[in-house]
Amino acid sequence: METEARFPVTGGCLCGAVRYESTEPPNLVGFCHCRMCQQAGGNLFIVFADFTGDSFRFTRGEPQYYRSSEIATRGFCRECGTPIAFQYDGSSGPAIMVGTLDHPEDWPPTWEHSGIESKVPWYRISDDLPLTRTDESEFLKAAHERKASPEVAIDD
């Protein structure tokens, strides 16, 4: 039985020290099986919902951020350790771990399984979403393009 998605989209960490909301739905919801996401999420893959910065805000506390690569940071609760967010440098908003949403059932993945080169062999994917390697991911390509573009100086 399908239900209508609830707005605003809200969520937070296990202990409640960090809470967030978005007035808009996520841009995309997908899986990532890359090795970095496996380690950061403590699982076989992560499921994330990508939000736009203008519609997304933290309403209680702020995550602690860890630079996990030359192009991204990951946010987690400094109190309970819950992985909360992932953000490529220069992106307009965070990718939030779907498990931290108050209603994850409202946002099933519809985008893709990225990082498929690191998928654990005994886990069987049983949906029809596209399978992409990390180097084929449009999400990652956009992050690399932002990193490679020259900084524009702004006069004060």
Side-chain angles (χ1 to χ4, degrees), residues 25-149:
N27 302 312
L28 59 87
V29 180
F31 295 89
C32 186
H33 298 262
C34 82
R35 189 65 188 125
M36 195 173 294
C37 284
Q38 288 172 351
Q39 289 179 313
N43 217 316
L44 303 179
F45 52 84
I46 64 165
V47 182
F48 65 93
D50 184 59
F51 288 94
T52 300
D54 292 343
S55 66
F56 182 91
R57 70 185 183 98
F58 287 100
T59 58
R60 182 183 316 140
E62 287 279 334
Q64 172 79 36
Y65 289 92
Y66 168 73
R67 176 150 295 279
S68 56
S69 74
E70 63 187 28
I71 60 170
T73 57
R74 293 176 188 269
F76 59 94
C77 175
R78 73 184 82 224
E79 299 298 321
C80 67
T82 300
I84 298 170
F86 169 85
Q87 189 162 353
Y88 286 121
D89 296 349
S91 64
S92 66
I96 295 295
M97 302 304 110
V98 169
T100 68
L101 295 172
D102 288 338
H103 295 284
E105 68 276 13
D106 289 353
W107 306 104
T110 57
W111 182 56
E112 70 181 25
H113 288 270
S114 62
I116 205 69
E117 72 280 359
S118 298
K119 185 185 86 55
V120 175
W122 50 260
Y123 176 73
R124 184 171 170 238
I125 295 172
S126 59
D127 60 43
D128 294 329
L129 296 177
L131 307 177
T132 62
R133 297 179 52 79
T134 300
D135 60 358
E136 299 168 332
S137 171
E138 295 303 318
F139 202 61
L140 183 59
K141 284 180 186 175
H144 278 291
E145 287 170 9
R146 282 191 301 274
K147 182 76 174 179
S149 65

